[in-house]
Amino acid sequence: MTASHCPIVVLISGNGSNLQALIDARTTGGFTISAVISNKADAYGLERAAKAGIPTRILDHREYPDRESFDKQLAQEIDAFSPQLLVLAGFMRILSAQFVQHFAGRVLNIHPSLLPNYRGTHTHERVLVARETQHGVSVHFVTEELDGGPVVLQAVVPVLPNDTRDSLAARVARQEHLIYPKAVSWFAAGRLHMQDNAAWLDGQRLGNTGIREYTQ
C-alpha cells in the first residue's frame, strides 16, 4: 500500500455529508474511493458518489432474513473491490461479529460524541440535558463492541449557553468533515493502524481518547 494508492470503500445510509468530505479530500489525502455502498436506495450519498464518478452498489437489508446473511453478502460486495480500508459514513447498521472480524483492523467509523462518553444515538440531546460544557466527535476503529473501538482522533467543541440540538449538531458536523478525511489519510499513508486493541499513530500507542483537537 502506498500513500497515493490506498483504495477504500465507503458505506452510507443517508445524506452522505461525510462521504462528500472524503470525496473532496481524496486527491490530497492519498486515497481513492473504489465504491460507495448503501443499504438504502434513496440515500442522497449515492448521488454524490455518482457525480464524482465513483461506482455505487445498493444492498437492501430488508431483503435478507437476518443480520448475519445480510452482512455476509455485504462483505462479498466489499471484497470485490479489494479495499485496504472500509469507512463507515453514516451507515446506520449494527455490524455482526463475523463481519467485524472479517475486516478486523481495517474499519473506521465516526461518532458524534467524545468517546467513551455518550455511545449510541441522540448524543447532542443527551449532552444538552446533562449540561455538559464540551461535546465533539470521535473517529475510531470498529470492533465488536458498539462505539467501543480504539479512538484515533477527536475534535472537541464547546457547548454554548444558547445552544440547541441543531446548532450544536451543526458545529459538530463541521468538525466531522475535517477530522474524518485526516484520519483516513493517516491510514492511507501507513501511519495509522490497530494493534492489541489499540490505535497506533507513527509508532506510538494512542490513549483512550486518541489525538484531541480543540476548536472554538
Side-chain angles (χ1 to χ4, degrees), residues 95-98 100-101 142-146:
L95 298 169
S96 64
Q98 184 177 8
V100 173
Q101 291 165 8
V142 173
T143 63
E144 296 176 38
E145 183 181 2
L146 181 64

Side-chain angles (χ1 to χ4, degrees), residues 34-186:
S34 299
V36 172
I37 302 175
S38 176
N39 65 315
K40 294 187 177 180
D42 61 350
Y44 181 66
L46 293 170
E47 293 187 33
R48 296 180 188 269
K51 289 177 181 178
I54 300 168
T56 61
R57 298 288 186 273
I58 299 167
L59 202 64
D60 191 338
H61 61 276
R62 295 171 297 183
E63 297 178 357
Y64 294 82
D66 51 44
R67 188 181 308 280
E68 287 70 24
S69 58
F70 171 77
D71 281 4
K72 182 178 180 180
Q73 184 60 42
L74 178 60
Q76 292 179 4
E77 294 283 344
I78 295 166
D79 283 341
F81 293 97
S82 301
Q84 293 288 344
L85 178 68
L86 182 59
V87 180
L88 310 184
F91 187 61
M92 304 306 291
R93 295 279 302 169
I94 295 175
L95 298 169
S96 64
Q98 184 177 8
F99 182 94
V100 173
Q101 291 165 8
H102 181 72
F103 295 103
R106 297 192 293 130
V107 189
L108 287 178
N109 186 38
I110 192 160
H111 181 75
S113 81
L114 296 176
L115 293 173
N117 298 327
Y118 299 102
R119 301 180 185 184
T121 59
H122 306 296
T123 61
H124 310 307
E125 295 91 337
R126 290 158 62 197
V127 163
L128 289 171
V129 168
R131 299 185 181 277
E132 300 279 9
T133 59
Q134 290 183 331
H135 189 27
V137 58
S138 306
V139 177
H140 65 96
F141 280 105
V142 173
T143 63
E144 296 176 38
E145 183 181 2
L146 181 64
D147 298 329
V151 175
V152 173
L153 179 60
Q154 294 184 327
V156 180
V157 174
V159 180
L160 305 179
N162 60 345
D163 261 330
T164 64
R165 184 263 176 209
D166 290 341
S167 66
L168 185 56
R171 288 208 315 285
V172 169
R174 284 195 291 272
Q175 296 305 315
E176 290 182 26
H177 303 157
L178 295 175
I179 71 169
Y180 213 3
K182 181 182 293 188
V184 172
S185 71
W186 288 347

